[in-house]
Amino acid sequence: SQKIEQNSEALNIQEGKTATLTCNYTNYSPAYLQWYRQDPGRGPVFLLLIRENEKEKRKERLKVTFDTTLKQSLFHITASQPADSATYLCALTDGGTDKLIFGTGTRLQVFP
Amino acid sequence: DTAVSQTPKYLVTQMGNDKSIKCEQNLGHDTMYWYKQDSKKFLKIMFSYNNKELIINETVPNRFSPKSPDKAHLNLHINSLELGDSAVYFCASSRGDRVNQPQHFGDGTRLSIL
């Protein structure tokens, strides 16, 4: 069956450290993978998009990798800050149907 | 100034009622979506419209009927509400109808069925 898995448990890290979030998928062949941030009571906010032929994408303190062999994307936040605390969702394209399929998200808590 | 706006933000109603949620985007995007986020925070596509034409219609009960009067608006009407319809409903929009575009979300409508 098709699955997108993100760490269901919250990730707690200290301010200044690098947060690494994982997105693993099964039985998909996505051409694109996106990462979103969601704060409580708010809608998801787009962060980064990476294509299947890109290994890595960066934006300020954010970095995304996409390994189509491992069927995995890693999302890194360097020099993390308490303001980075939120739920982070990965989403991939379901090539046959052109839909965006979301993972269940990982809650990140950055403490001072 | 808001890019994607939904109304109402909260909707509390009784089982069996009919209700509508409205969505508007001022980004000039061609494609709009409705998603449902359940109590486990799982976000799932329901419908997608491109230039007022339905392009994605997931396995959703036909009590849910989207309507797009123009490409800036996508409303969701729900008939005969059931307890299982309780969730947060998000509207989103994107440029073009391909999923290589970022999607911009509203802040959701929290629907509670009594």
Side-chain angles (χ1 to χ4, degrees):
Chain A
S1 63
Q2 293 176 316
K3 285 191 297 187
I4 305 173
E5 291 177 309
Q6 296 186 251
N7 292 354
S8 56
E9 294 179 10
L11 179 63
N12 297 311
I13 65 163
Q14 192 170 24
E15 183 175 11
K17 303 287 187 189
T18 295
T20 299
L21 286 69
T22 305
C23 176
N24 294 301
Y25 57 92
T26 309
N27 291 328
Y28 285 106
S29 296
Y32 306 94
L33 194 143
Q34 302 184 25
W35 283 87
Y36 288 77
R37 169 187 172 138
Q38 186 173 22
D39 291 284
R42 306 297 300 271
V45 174
F46 171 77
L47 296 173
L48 281 167
L49 178 150
I50 187 165
R51 293 172 172 74
E52 62 178 338
N53 59 355
E54 295 177 315
K55 296 285 186 206
E56 183 180 296
K57 199 86 171 273
R58 289 175 187 262
K59 180 182 173 184
E60 297 170 356
R61 295 185 295 111
L62 308 180
K63 184 178 87 171
V64 171
T65 63
F66 191 7
D67 189 326
T68 54
T69 302
L70 289 178
K71 295 188 183 302
Q72 180 182 78
S73 175
L74 298 178
F75 178 80
H76 306 271
I77 306 175
T78 56
S80 58
Q81 304 165 1
D84 295 326
S85 299
T87 296
Y88 291 85
L89 305 166
C90 74
L92 53 79
T93 56
D94 181 7
T97 62
D98 233 7
K99 293 184 295 187
L100 200 58
I101 311 294
F102 282 84
T104 50
T106 297
R107 187 163 166 270
L108 173 67
Q109 187 75 33
V110 181
F111 55 91
Chain B
D1 201 26
T2 306
V4 180
S5 58
Q6 301 179 224
T7 52
K9 189 170 174 67
Y10 299 95
L11 187 51
V12 181
T13 189
Q14 293 196 327
M15 212 162 49
N17 283 350
D18 303 338
K19 290 294 178 186
S20 292
I21 307 172
K22 295 187 175 183
C23 179
E24 175 181 6
Q25 54 94 4
N26 63 4
L27 297 166
H29 287 165
D30 298 316
T31 306
M32 295 185 72
Y33 310 82
W34 278 109
Y35 286 86
K36 178 180 180 180
Q37 189 169 46
D38 61 24
S39 57
K40 295 183 179 176
K41 306 298 182 188
F42 182 53
L43 192 63
K44 191 165 190 286
I45 182 77
M46 298 174 71
F47 301 103
S48 169
Y49 270 74
N50 177 257
N51 281 319
K52 303 197 303 176
E53 183 181 339
L54 181 67
I55 54 172
I56 293 176
N57 184 352
E58 282 297 278
T59 308
V60 174
N62 57 15
R63 299 181 294 104
F64 290 79
S65 52
K67 284 189 172 50
S68 182
D70 55 60
K71 74 173 194 178
H73 294 84
L74 181 62
N75 303 323
L76 184 65
H77 188 75
I78 315 170
N79 287 328
S80 304
L81 282 156
E82 300 177 357
L83 289 175
D85 297 332
S86 294
V88 183
Y89 292 84
F90 287 99
C91 177
S93 72
S94 68
R95 184 179 303 157
D97 63 349
R98 309 302 296 185
V99 285
N100 59 349
Q101 298 294 325
Q103 295 188 10
H104 298 254
F105 285 80
D107 279 337
T109 295
R110 184 174 296 276
L111 175 62
S112 299
I113 309 301
L114 303 176

